[in-house]
């Protein structure tokens, strides 16, 4: 069977997309949740910071090696990355993530925030979150963050999908009275 150049391009693009969203559960078992999550996040253009380190890791080939469980993700910076809902299973089992930044993430939507909020370990560990210029996030997604019971600080800015900011903030503040919310929603 002979494929045209266009068909070859489509197949190559499909293979690349599958590489980024495919979840290899065997890999997660083999290297642990933190290493597997770091690999996925870096492949998607995000950065991670490991517990005990000041430097952000952005180079996939520079990921540290060592015994299983030695490097624990403490912070995720997904600025301008291509992370999307399908890959959020990679975040299961992360026990030390205290900060997540979603800045200019075009694929982040309400379902992503709902999935993130359902991850038990993140409900316990996550303290700070930034959400800026994520156009597919609405009030519904923001409200799901109430499951993150230890969330202390939340920045919401330039989210055109959030239509009823007062009610959304009130609902979050009622559910999480210790939460400080900074708003820049026009």
């Amino acid at each position: 069977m002979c494929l045209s150049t266009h068909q070859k391009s489509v197949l190559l693009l499909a293979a690349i997309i599958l590489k980024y969203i495919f979840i290899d559960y065997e890999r997660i078992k083999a290297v642990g949740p933190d290493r597997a999550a770091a690999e996925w996040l870096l492949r998607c253009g995000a950065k991670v910071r490991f517990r005990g380190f000041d430097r952000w890791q952005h180079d996939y080939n520079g990921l540290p090696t060592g015994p299983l469980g030695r490097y624990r993700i403490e912070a995720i910076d997904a600025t301008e990355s291509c992370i999307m809902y399908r890959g959020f299973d990679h975040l299961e089992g992360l026990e030390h993530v205290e900060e997540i930044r979603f800045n200019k993430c075009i694929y982040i939507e309400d379902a992503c925030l709902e999935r993130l909020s359902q991850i038990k370990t993140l409900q316990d560990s996550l303290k700070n979150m930034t959400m800026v210029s994520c156009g597919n996030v609405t009030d519904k997604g923001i409200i799901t963050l109430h499951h993150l019971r230890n969330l202390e600080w939340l920045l919401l800015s330039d989210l055109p999908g959030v239509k009823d900011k007062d009610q959304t903030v009130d609902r979050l503040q009622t559910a999480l009275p210790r939460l400080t919310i900074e708003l820049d929603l026009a």
Side-chain angles (χ1 to χ4, degrees):
M1 178 167 133
C2 187
L3 297 176
S4 71
T5 303
H6 175 73
Q7 289 170 322
K8 288 178 185 175
S9 297
V10 169
L11 287 174
L12 177 61
L13 180 60
I16 291 169
I17 290 170
L18 284 174
K19 175 184 173 190
Y20 285 101
I21 64 172
F22 175 73
I23 299 166
D24 184 349
Y25 294 100
E26 292 302 315
R27 177 78 178 151
I28 294 171
K29 285 181 191 173
V31 300
D34 290 271
R35 173 67 188 216
E39 290 174 357
W40 170 68
L41 289 160
L42 270 57
R43 278 195 316 262
C44 291
K47 298 182 279 192
V48 298
R49 190 177 66 234
F50 293 104
R51 189 176 209 174
F53 292 83
D54 294 328
R55 189 175 60 88
W56 286 92
Q57 183 68 43
H58 60 87
D59 179 9
Y60 180 90
N61 294 317
L63 277 172
T65 57
L68 187 65
R70 179 174 178 194
Y71 296 97
R72 304 290 191 171
I73 296 175
E74 181 177 66
I76 297 169
D77 183 350
T79 299
E80 296 182 342
S81 70
C82 64
I83 65 171
M84 59 184 67
Y85 177 81
R86 178 69 174 103
F88 272 57
D89 280 2
H90 283 99
L91 304 179
E92 279 287 347
L94 298 183
E95 298 176 350
H96 303 282
V97 177
E98 295 182 1
E99 176 184 4
I100 296 180
R101 301 174 186 169
F102 294 124
N103 299 321
K104 300 179 183 174
C105 297
I106 62 173
Y107 300 110
I108 293 296
E109 57 191 357
D110 294 343
C112 298
L113 300 181
E114 183 176 1
R115 176 69 182 104
L116 180 86
S117 298
Q118 292 170 346
I119 298 173
K120 299 290 184 201
T121 54
L122 293 180
Q123 290 175 354
D124 293 335
S125 68
L126 195 58
K127 294 179 181 175
N128 301 309
M129 181 180 281
T130 302
M131 191 158 323
V132 177
S133 301
C134 298
N136 294 318
V137 172
T138 71
D139 304 80
K140 179 183 174 190
I142 299 298
I143 290 169
T144 66
L145 299 178
H146 79 274
H147 294 291
L148 301 171
R149 59 182 158 266
N150 288 316
L151 196 60
E152 298 172 357
W153 183 81
L154 176 64
L155 170 64
L156 301 173
S157 178
D158 187 27
L159 301 172
V162 176
K163 302 297 184 196
D164 191 353
K165 67 179 179 182
D166 293 331
Q167 182 179 1
T168 299
V169 167
D170 286 345
R171 289 180 70 182
L172 264 183
Q173 211 67 76
T174 299
L176 302 168
R178 295 180 300 155
L179 177 61
T180 299
I181 302 174
E182 291 187 32
L183 287 177
D184 183 15
L185 302 174

